[in-house]
Amino acid sequence: MRKFYLSTFILFVFCALTVNAQMLKSTSVAQRSVAGPNKAHIDPEQGQAWWGYYVDDGYTGNFGTEGLSTYNCAIYIPGDHDVAKDAKIYAERLWFARKSHIADLKIWLSTTLPATAEEADICCDNVEFTKGGIVDFGFAEPHAIPSSGVYVGYSFTITSVTDEDDMYPVQTSYGLDMIENAMFVSWDGSKWWSNYDLTAAMGGNWGNLAMQVLVGDNFPLNGASIKSVGSGVVAIGKTVDIPVTIQNLGGNQIYEFSYTVTNNGTESEPIYYDASEQMINDLYGTRTYNIPVSGGNTAEEGKATIKIVSVNGEENEVADGREQAVADVLTVLKASNRKTVMENFINAGDDGFSVLSHVANNRLGHDWHDEFESLIECGGNHDNYIGIMIHDRDAWATDMYINTLLELDEIQQRTQGPFIYTDIDREDRVYNYFGSQYKDEYTRRTKFGIEDDFGVSQKKTVEAEVHISTSWVDSEQSAIRSVVTTTFQYNTDDAHYALAFALTEDGKEGQINNGTLPQLKAAGIFDWDPDITNFVYGDNVVDVVFDDVLVGVDEIYNGISGSIQAPIVAGEEQYYLHKWDLSNNSFINNKEFLKVIVMLIDTRTGRIVNANRVHVGEDSEEMGIENVIPATAKGNGMKYDLMGRRVNDNYKGIVIKDGKKYLNK
């Protein structure tokens, strides 16, 4: 049985050695054994840097077979890799939880994955630990990375098993993302597995192998590229923070940089950014910074070019186009009221971790529900928190969230995340409960971090407001009719938006199996959070009540085609009539607790622009379409079809104009 064990392990990164180059030889007949130096720490020289898919950020995972085994572990470096192309490998660095009970450590290089370390193209044996659980091993001669790529690996044997460090000796990173080519592992002559293979076969996030290589000679000292750039919505005369992910392509840490912004046809003077508290330590490492960008002079879509011009006080040595990127900046007349949609996902079998999701959802809902109550008393809007619980089927047939699990064709498979995660407006994916700061030791042990992420989302400017009113179609409550009013704050002829609908029910009774809570208990968060402690010391299966349980969807991901019409005019209202037939819905227990959620989807990106929700109203009479168009719109000269959608003069059929029906031929 293979297991994945979480641990915290804080080490400091140090660096490596140089020698002359020799091309890596590929042969299936003869292997070379090269005796290289072991040093406590190998410091890079000019044009060299430590690089790897693994970043020593202090939070690690461990993999193992639980028994006496011989492991082979490797990463793969493609020949055309952004960082390592045409580079030479000078040394390897390995991390272990500890060095006791580890024997026969070998380091190797090979153009193909070998059955054993001895069968690799280059195998170095008699490798010793240098300090604690770190191995820095410098090759006697550096090896150029061939155009076909190279596997960089190591092998060792566990001689005794006394605790978890022996049971799970292969150290990896642990986080939201697995990187391609970042971990290959075999044991006792078995097949080679990648981290993705392990995930598919055994579930969980198996991380990236704790290994780096010292590479050179072609690296600048102070170089940075822009790996990705976000977008933003901003009101005229205001600024918006654009998330810019910067990648270190130099041998030095990035502790400061300067950038320019070209907006409205004018390039700014260089603007200094102090990154000393958020340094990028590793070659090819990344970090996302918020760069303020001004809006345009008119309410329309625009572009802004962001360029990194200096790194650490020196001119940016990356000047091949990768140092700049273009961000989409949408300027609006004014900021609209903001509603946030948070969708919670839980992997099958992670019942114990569903406790964190449940606690997080209840706490956020309670905090914003309090504000909602006070706003209602003074005639304000709905609360800002909209929760949609998405439930996966549990492979072990235990109850997860609700006894009757909801399965809908329109709920598509999402990329599998580690344990539990939350999508915020389908723009940001974070851990539920801990939020985006999950890797931070302080947050993971002392903080309800997703509250900060929610606060950030509430400060974002959006380009449209959405309002919804509902009523029952008949006294039997067989269907719900909703009128949606959408008001955009900018002008465009491209209606790349659509409305999506969700139906939720509060007060759902269900169960949580907290059998996996010992893992959470080991993380040390129960000493300060009584909401979780109540589950830890309760029965294995806990009866709970869930709100915001999804019981119906209508085009929840892509939106309803034609529900938003072109042209979009700033400040002008659009109307849409939606009907929900409940006659075949077996998921609803109590219609008194139903809520309709409407989401405005940007169909180009999938982003949820804005949303709103309302409890389904009391029984009302059957409404005609002319009665659901608000009175303020009846005299505006606009034309609407019988679904409440605005149409132009080219539309053929029955239309409503100024509250009257007529046939447009």
Side-chain angles (χ1 to χ4, degrees):
M1 179 179 182
R2 271 71 62 185
K3 289 189 176 182
F4 187 61
Y5 173 69
L6 301 181
S7 65
T8 55
F9 193 68
I10 300 176
L11 297 171
F12 294 94
V13 178
F14 298 88
C15 302
L17 160 82
T18 77
V19 273
N20 295 324
Q22 177 174 334
M23 179 66 69
L24 177 67
K25 296 181 179 179
S26 176
T27 173
S28 60
V29 180
Q31 291 76 42
R32 301 174 57 230
S33 180
V34 182
N38 267 106
K39 290 192 175 181
H41 304 293
I42 301 177
D43 296 320
E45 296 188 359
Q46 180 115 354
Q48 300 176 353
W50 283 105
W51 167 82
Y53 303 107
Y54 172 82
V55 177
D56 181 29
D57 61 0
Y59 192 56
T60 64
N62 296 79
F63 171 84
T65 67
E66 299 183 308
L68 302 176
S69 298
T70 296
Y71 296 88
N72 247 332
C73 308
I75 63 173
Y76 177 68
I77 306 175
D80 60 352
H81 194 276
D82 287 346
V83 168
K85 181 180 181 180
D86 300 324
K88 304 177 184 69
I89 298 175
Y90 287 84
E92 286 188 34
R93 168 172 289 164
L94 315 176
W95 281 265
F96 293 90
R98 68 176 181 198
K99 60 185 178 182
S100 59
H101 302 164
I102 290 179
D104 198 22
L105 179 60
K106 298 180 176 67
I107 283 179
W108 53 263
L109 302 172
S110 187
T111 53
T112 59
L113 284 171
T116 64
E118 291 79 7
E119 296 181 35
D121 298 333
I122 294 173
C123 178
C124 307
D125 51 18
N126 300 317
V127 178
E128 298 178 354
F129 282 88
T130 50
K131 182 179 180 180
I134 298 180
V135 174
D136 273 8
F137 180 86
F139 292 103
E141 297 174 338
H143 301 284
I145 297 175
S147 60
S148 59
V150 64
Y151 289 93
V152 182
Y154 63 93
S155 171
F156 66 92
T157 298
I158 293 294
T159 60
S160 177
V161 175
T162 60
D163 56 23
E164 288 178 330
D165 285 340
D166 297 324
M167 296 166 66
Y168 315 111
V170 180
Q171 188 163 317
T172 66
S173 63
Y174 185 73
L176 286 174
D177 299 320
M178 291 185 299
I179 303 173
E180 187 177 6
N181 297 322
M183 187 173 88
F184 297 88
V185 62
S186 67
W187 52 90
D188 298 330
S190 67
K191 60 172 283 188
W192 280 94
W193 297 75
S194 72
N195 47 7
Y196 291 97
D197 293 333
L198 291 167
T199 293
M202 305 171 194
N205 180 344
W206 299 85
N208 308 309
L209 190 63
M211 171 194 285
Q212 292 181 349
V213 291
L214 181 65
V215 287
D217 304 294
N218 57 336
F219 298 108
L221 291 179
N222 302 293
S225 68
I226 296 181
K227 187 172 180 63
S228 65
V229 65
S231 59
V233 181
V234 58
I236 293 176
K238 304 293 185 180
T239 61
V240 61
D241 286 340
I242 300 294
V244 179
T245 300
I246 294 178
Q247 187 167 53
N248 186 4
L249 295 184
N252 290 336
Q253 298 173 331
I254 296 179
Y255 56 86
E256 64 179 20
F257 60 89
S258 294
Y259 64 92
T260 61
V261 178
T262 301
N263 198 9
N264 300 320
T266 302
E267 184 176 17
S268 71
E269 292 295 320
I271 302 167
Y272 174 78
Y273 196 107
D274 182 1
S276 58
E277 298 297 323
Q278 301 173 320
M279 290 195 300
I280 308 178
N281 297 318
D282 297 285
L283 174 66
Y284 207 55
T286 62
R287 188 178 288 272
T288 300
Y289 305 93
N290 287 325
I291 303 297
V293 174
S294 300
N297 300 318
T298 57
E300 60 184 5
E301 293 177 303
K303 305 285 186 181
T305 300
I306 301 170
K307 182 178 181 179
I308 308 300
V309 295
S310 71
V311 177
N312 300 332
E314 302 291 338
E315 183 178 353
N316 187 4
E317 296 179 55
V318 175
D320 56 4
R322 289 182 294 170
E323 80 282 12
Q324 61 184 3
V326 178
D328 292 321
V329 180
L330 172 59
T331 303
V332 296
L333 292 177
K334 66 176 184 177
S336 297
N337 291 333
R338 178 82 165 107
K339 306 291 189 294
T340 297
V341 174
M342 304 181 71
E343 296 168 296
N344 300 326
F345 296 80
I346 298 176
N347 290 345
D350 291 326
D351 298 299
F353 290 93
S354 69
V355 169
L356 295 183
S357 181
H358 177 63
V359 169
N361 203 59
N362 281 353
R363 191 174 296 173
L364 276 172
H366 178 271
D367 291 348
W368 290 93
H369 184 71
D370 288 344
E371 181 174 343
F372 160 68
E373 294 289 344
S374 64
L375 285 173
I376 286 296
E377 290 173 0
C378 62
N381 295 318
H382 297 292
D383 56 69
N384 292 322
Y385 179 66
I386 297 174
I388 300 179
M389 306 300 294
I390 308 292
H391 311 290
D392 289 344
R393 177 168 293 283
D394 183 353
W396 290 276
T398 56
D399 292 316
M400 182 188 299
Y401 276 50
I402 56 176
N403 290 319
T404 304
L405 294 171
L406 180 62
E407 293 181 300
L408 296 170
D409 291 338
E410 293 186 61
I411 299 179
Q412 302 169 352
Q413 287 289 331
R414 292 293 189 93
T415 302
Q416 187 176 29
F419 304 113
I420 56 175
Y421 58 92
T422 295
D423 282 351
I424 303 178
D425 283 329
R426 299 177 191 165
E427 284 187 294
D428 302 305
R429 172 162 290 180
V430 301
Y431 277 81
N432 203 336
Y433 187 87
F434 296 113
S436 61
Q437 299 302 311
Y438 177 65
K439 289 186 177 181
D440 177 69
E441 183 75 17
Y442 173 80
T443 300
R444 204 171 58 249
R445 291 182 178 273
T446 63
K447 196 172 184 181
F448 171 51
I450 200 171
E451 194 170 34
D452 293 338
D453 296 291
F454 182 78
V456 169
S457 75
Q458 286 295 293
K459 295 178 182 178
K460 291 182 179 179
T461 300
V462 292
E463 61 263 40
E465 288 187 17
V466 183
H467 296 279
I468 182 171
S469 60
T470 63
S471 64
W472 292 110
V473 168
D474 51 41
S475 59
E476 285 75 29
Q477 298 182 345
S478 63
I480 301 168
R481 177 167 289 173
S482 302
V483 179
V484 180
T485 306
T486 307
T487 308
F488 287 89
Q489 298 298 331
Y490 81 110
N491 302 301
T492 179
D493 292 329
D494 181 15
H496 49 83
Y497 298 94
L499 297 174
F501 292 86
L503 188 65
T504 65
E505 182 179 348
D506 289 345
K508 282 280 202 180
E509 296 181 356
Q511 296 176 331
I512 290 179
N513 183 332
N514 62 4
T516 56
L517 278 175
Q519 295 185 43
L520 302 180
K521 185 176 181 180
I525 63 175
F526 302 122
D527 295 337
W528 61 273
D529 194 336
D531 289 340
I532 297 176
T533 303
N534 293 335
F535 286 94
V536 175
Y537 299 105
D539 295 332
N540 188 52
V541 177
V542 182
D543 294 323
V544 291
V545 175
F546 301 97
D547 291 337
D548 297 309
V549 175
L550 196 64
V551 294
V553 295
D554 192 356
E555 298 295 338
I556 191 172
Y557 285 120
N558 300 318
I560 299 174
S561 178
S563 53
I564 298 295
Q565 297 287 307
I568 288 174
V569 180
E572 183 179 296
E573 294 178 335
Q574 290 201 29
Y575 303 97
Y576 182 76
L577 179 65
H578 180 263
K579 185 177 179 181
W580 215 311
D581 185 358
L582 306 183
S583 58
N584 294 319
N585 192 312
S586 61
F587 301 112
I588 298 173
N589 291 336
N590 192 332
K591 293 180 179 178
E592 294 183 9
F593 298 138
L594 293 179
K595 288 177 285 190
V596 177
I597 297 172
V598 60
M599 294 165 282
L600 178 64
I601 308 294
D602 185 333
T603 55
R604 297 176 303 179
T605 64
R607 173 177 65 105
I608 298 177
V609 174
N610 209 339
N612 218 322
R613 73 175 179 184
V614 63
H615 286 269
V616 179
E618 301 295 332
D619 295 351
S620 65
E621 297 179 359
E622 178 79 19
M623 295 185 298
I625 181 64
E626 60 269 27
N627 293 324
V628 303
I629 302 297
T632 56
K634 291 182 179 179
N636 63 9
M638 299 298 172
K639 297 177 181 179
Y640 302 88
D641 65 12
L642 293 180
M643 288 297 293
R645 298 172 294 198
R646 194 182 72 212
V647 297
N648 57 30
D649 292 336
N650 296 324
Y651 178 83
K652 306 300 182 184
I654 297 176
V655 298
I656 299 172
K657 180 180 179 181
D658 296 334
K660 298 180 180 180
K661 292 181 182 177
Y662 70 94
L663 180 64
N664 197 41
K665 297 182 179 180

